[in-house]
Amino acid sequence: MRTLRNINTVKDAHWVGNGFPVSTMFSYHQGAEAFSPFLLLDYAGPVEFGPAQIPRGVGTHPHRGFETVTIVYQGALEHRDSTGQGGVIRTGDVQWMTAGSGILHQEFHSEDFAKTGGTLEMVQLWVNLPADHKMMAPGYQSITSGHIPRGAFPSMASSFRVIAGEYRGVKGPARTVTPMLVMDLELQPGERVTLPIHQDWNLMATVLTGTVQVNDHYLGRDATIATFNNDGDHIVLEANTPARVLITAGEPIDEPVVGHGPFVMNTQEQISTAFRDLESGSFGELPEQ
């Protein structure tokens, strides 16, 4: 069994734009090597919004050098970007956006969600790109809930969805540049699951909602992140209440990580170049609505 490196319940939230009060579960600023190939995990939710005439969200902003993965558990978001892609991400859907060489995009509550109000619960995960892919062409994977396969644990009511990678023969639909596993678990009270994970992969288990015992000794509840040492081939989770857990595990990218705001590259000079390219207009522009 892997030993626990750290377990932390995140109680502080900050606003991203005017539509997303998020708790940062982990960030590469805390030590990139421990989380690689992932850079950041923001969790928003569950948050109640009242009706609004103008959708709340985040206006046009750039990214370069990594991918953003948005998982919506409740509510609905609308996305537009400078590649001409866009659409509405609803409950259970995933948007996997590759910023690569540079992209501009917007994220707002969808028009119908803004009009009615309701509960928003979502995750945004940043996934690093290796040096030889940081300037790849921007791309967009729209993965609807119906295309995300679900699996079951033997003789249990608990289940899992695989978004990227493969687990127990269930393969996720997302295309990734480096090997990884991104899956969420729906755990039922009193059920104990053993999760085998590659020993040399970095592993984080984030308890989004509910109360979960980790490795038989540590208790995680709403908005708790558990990180593990690379000294074993499995972890054990047991739910005390109905719980949702996000598993992020992957092969580390053994390269320097230099980030500034919306850009994550390998050197400070590359960050400076990204700002110059943004100012010159090479990131393109969003199509008119």
Side-chain angles (χ1 to χ4, degrees):
M1 184 185 297
R2 288 191 182 214
T3 58
L4 194 72
R5 177 185 288 124
N6 186 50
I7 187 165
N8 180 44
T9 299
V10 180
K11 298 180 180 179
D12 297 328
H14 62 277
W15 282 89
V16 176
N18 68 349
F20 308 105
V22 304
S23 299
T24 297
M25 305 307 299
F26 66 80
S27 167
Y28 68 94
H29 295 295
Q30 301 164 338
E33 297 84 0
F35 305 112
S36 181
F38 308 103
L39 295 166
L40 175 144
L41 177 62
D42 277 344
Y43 175 46
V47 183
E48 292 292 328
F49 285 94
Q53 292 184 338
I54 300 174
R56 304 174 178 93
V58 183
T60 304
H61 59 284
H63 289 301
R64 172 178 279 183
F66 62 99
E67 301 179 292
T68 66
V69 180
T70 303
I71 308 169
V72 176
Y73 292 106
Q74 297 183 75
L77 306 180
E78 190 161 353
H79 164 89
R80 295 175 61 233
D81 67 43
S82 52
T83 71
Q85 297 290 328
V88 177
I89 317 162
R90 302 190 184 278
T91 299
D93 295 346
V94 175
Q95 174 212 81
W96 196 295
M97 186 186 77
T98 302
S101 61
I103 200 168
L104 300 176
H105 76 140
Q106 300 175 340
E107 297 164 297
F108 286 92
H109 298 178
S110 68
E111 287 192 14
D112 54 351
F113 180 80
K115 287 178 182 178
T116 62
T119 304
L120 177 69
E121 184 184 4
M122 57 161 284
V123 159
Q124 186 166 95
L125 175 69
W126 288 16
V127 180
N128 200 10
L129 290 170
D132 58 354
H133 282 76
K134 282 194 174 292
M135 297 297 287
M136 67 187 292
Y140 180 89
Q141 300 177 62
S142 178
I143 306 171
T144 57
S145 177
H147 288 91
I148 302 175
R150 185 178 294 275
F153 296 98
S155 304
M156 296 186 193
S158 297
S159 62
F160 60 90
R161 296 192 316 163
V162 182
I163 296 166
E166 185 172 350
Y167 184 75
R168 290 185 180 270
V170 178
K171 188 173 183 180
R175 300 182 303 275
T176 68
V177 174
T178 60
M180 67 186 66
L181 174 66
V182 179
M183 70 174 182
D184 48 29
L185 314 176
E186 291 185 7
L187 302 180
Q188 299 305 313
E191 295 192 341
R192 186 175 187 270
V193 300
T194 299
L195 304 177
I197 304 289
H198 294 285
Q199 182 169 324
D200 57 346
W201 284 16
N202 287 333
L203 167 64
M204 288 72 69
T206 304
V207 180
L208 301 176
T209 57
T211 304
V212 177
Q213 195 168 22
V214 180
N215 282 359
D216 298 323
H217 296 292
Y218 308 95
L219 199 63
R221 46 178 58 90
D222 298 355
T224 294
I225 172 76
T227 61
F228 300 86
N229 295 307
N230 295 16
D231 57 359
D233 60 3
H234 70 280
I235 62 170
V236 176
L237 303 176
E238 182 174 347
N240 294 349
T241 66
R244 179 181 291 124
V245 180
L246 180 65
I247 299 294
T248 47
E251 182 177 276
I253 300 172
D254 186 18
E255 296 173 352
V257 175
V258 179
H260 188 102
F263 307 135
V264 182
M265 303 299 288
N266 300 113
T267 69
Q268 186 59 51
E269 176 55 34
Q270 291 171 339
I271 296 293
S272 300
T273 299
F275 278 105
R276 289 195 297 269
D277 289 347
L278 175 65
E279 291 171 1
S280 73
S282 67
F283 280 47
E285 58 185 28
L286 269 71
E288 294 185 8
Q289 288 184 303

